Amino acid sequence: MKTLQKLTLAAAAVLVAFGAQAQEFPSKDKTITIVVPYAAGGPTDRVARDLAEALRKPLGGVSVVIDNAAGAGSTIGSAKVARATPDGYTLLLNHVSMATMPTMYRKLSFNVANDFEYLGIINDVPMTLIAKPSMPANNYKELSTWLQQNKGKINLGNAGQGSASHLCGLMFQSALQIDMVPVPYKGTAPAMTDLIGGQIDLLCDQTTNTTSQIEGKKVKAYAVTTTKRLTTPALKDLPTLAESGVKDFSVTIWHGLYAPKGTPAAVVTKLNEALKTALKDPDFIKKQEGLGAVVATDKRVESAEHKKFVLAEMEKFGTVIKAAGSYAD
């Protein structure tokens, strides 16, 4: 009986502690760290730094810093947050990799669906299909013909296993039912250099990486991967792949915010509310538009809808990855 009473008192003490913690969250004496599982300077890092600035005000002026924990297709940084103390002071900002890791890496040390609290989608980044400047095709119709004529000889670059460009390439090949030779690089920069130099034929990558190259006419652009045409001046005349005949093709690189599983519900709510406020910040919106990104305004900004969306994306990308047998482990 005494043992039971002690356990009950201990449990009550824990609940009181967590309740008090949630009530005072965030403490100005503490720093909120957003872990970015990629190197500094990349597209996801830029999104995180812009968001950190926008979050400070709705979180009462608390300090929000970035921790770049890059490596292994974002699994290192993601695992770091999955293991972190669930108090709201360690968060994860990751992109579509959250939906692809469960299939791409068959021996993950964490469970994407169950080891995180979902705080909301941040933005969507469209992708563009581009080619080397010497590509003879001048529009997508001509490119489609060229692809059919050059089966088995097409080099498709990507920024590494599990990268956005790798995933887009897999989806594109699957949609066309044409196998292409994957050429992985350690990042987008060297892949783009070789595309411009004509060492590879094609690349499908984020507008954050391709728009300036398209504007400078250093590459040929054929289509965007969104369901609707973009309004960005340099890209507004590009058709969507769907309207070009690639049925139901739609790929965007979204970013989301996460906390470790077990973070108190009241803290999750405060973080979600702060995120929704940050997503309406004019400066944040302007910075995201400058990156070619579209700030989320739909129901995915809610925690439950965020998770529902990611689970659906897991199924979509998982099917393609399994079909290609393209694993990272």
Side-chain angles (χ1 to χ4, degrees):
M1 189 68 177
K2 288 184 177 180
T3 301
L4 181 59
Q5 287 178 331
K6 287 181 179 179
L7 288 173
T8 302
L9 289 172
V14 169
L15 289 174
V16 170
F18 270 106
Q21 181 189 57
Q23 190 173 14
E24 69 179 24
F25 179 87
S27 169
K28 289 186 178 180
D29 297 329
K30 293 186 177 181
T31 296
I32 293 177
T33 299
I34 298 178
V35 176
V36 177
Y38 306 97
T44 301
D45 178 68
R46 292 177 67 184
V47 171
R49 292 178 189 277
D50 289 346
L51 182 66
E53 184 63 34
L55 281 172
R56 289 190 179 100
K57 186 175 181 180
L59 286 174
V62 67
S63 178
V64 183
V65 300
I66 303 300
D67 173 18
N68 295 98
S74 86
T75 63
I76 292 175
S78 299
K80 183 175 183 178
V81 176
R83 296 190 300 264
T85 302
D87 57 7
Y89 291 98
T90 302
L91 307 177
L92 171 70
L93 192 151
N94 201 355
H95 61 35
V96 69
S97 177
M98 293 297 280
T100 61
M101 281 190 291
T103 306
M104 191 78 71
Y105 293 86
R106 293 165 291 184
K107 296 179 181 179
L108 282 178
S109 64
F110 56 91
N111 186 298
V112 174
N114 300 325
D115 290 347
F116 297 94
E117 302 292 349
Y118 288 64
L119 302 177
I121 290 291
I122 299 164
N123 66 14
D124 292 286
V125 182
M127 303 193 76
T128 46
L129 179 66
I130 58 177
K132 59 186 179 183
S134 59
M135 178 66 71
N138 293 310
N139 53 53
Y140 185 78
K141 184 178 181 180
E142 293 180 5
L143 178 65
S144 181
T145 300
W146 184 89
L147 293 171
Q148 293 293 334
Q149 294 173 342
N150 288 275
K151 288 182 178 179
K153 300 183 293 182
I154 304 164
N155 293 320
L156 178 63
N158 66 66
Q161 191 89 340
S163 65
S165 51
H166 177 225
L167 298 171
C168 185
L170 288 179
M171 295 287 287
F172 186 55
Q173 291 178 79
S174 176
L176 296 185
Q177 293 297 296
I178 295 177
D179 289 331
M180 304 179 192
V181 180
V183 184
Y185 292 84
K186 292 182 178 179
T188 296
M192 188 68 73
T193 297
D194 273 10
L195 184 73
I196 294 171
Q199 279 74 45
I200 54 175
D201 301 312
L202 298 171
L203 181 67
C204 183
D205 209 350
Q206 302 173 68
T207 52
T208 48
N209 296 321
T210 64
T211 302
S212 62
Q213 308 299 340
I214 294 170
E215 283 181 317
K217 300 188 184 303
K218 294 181 179 180
V219 297
K220 284 192 172 182
Y222 295 97
V224 293
T225 65
T226 46
T227 55
K228 296 180 180 179
R229 292 195 181 200
L230 303 179
T231 57
T232 307
L235 309 174
K236 63 182 178 63
D237 294 328
L238 290 179
T240 67
L241 279 169
E243 73 177 90
S244 300
V246 187
K247 189 178 179 181
D248 299 325
F249 194 95
S250 175
V251 179
T252 58
I253 302 304
W254 40 266
H255 292 86
L257 194 64
Y258 309 82
K261 187 69 175 181
T263 301
V267 173
V268 169
T269 297
K270 284 190 177 183
L271 287 168
N272 174 253
E273 290 174 349
L275 174 62
K276 287 187 285 188
T277 299
L279 297 183
K280 296 176 183 177
D281 184 289
D283 288 337
F284 178 74
I285 294 172
K286 184 176 180 180
K287 288 176 181 177
Q288 294 307 290
E289 289 176 343
L291 294 175
V294 180
V295 174
T297 58
D298 57 277
K299 59 185 181 181
R300 296 173 304 157
V301 300
E302 301 294 345
S303 297
E305 291 296 333
H306 176 192
K307 185 171 185 177
K308 182 179 177 181
F309 170 71
V310 174
L311 293 178
E313 290 282 277
M314 282 184 194
E315 185 175 350
K316 179 179 78 173
F317 284 113
T319 299
V320 174
I321 293 168
K322 288 176 182 176
S326 182
Y327 303 107
D329 54 16

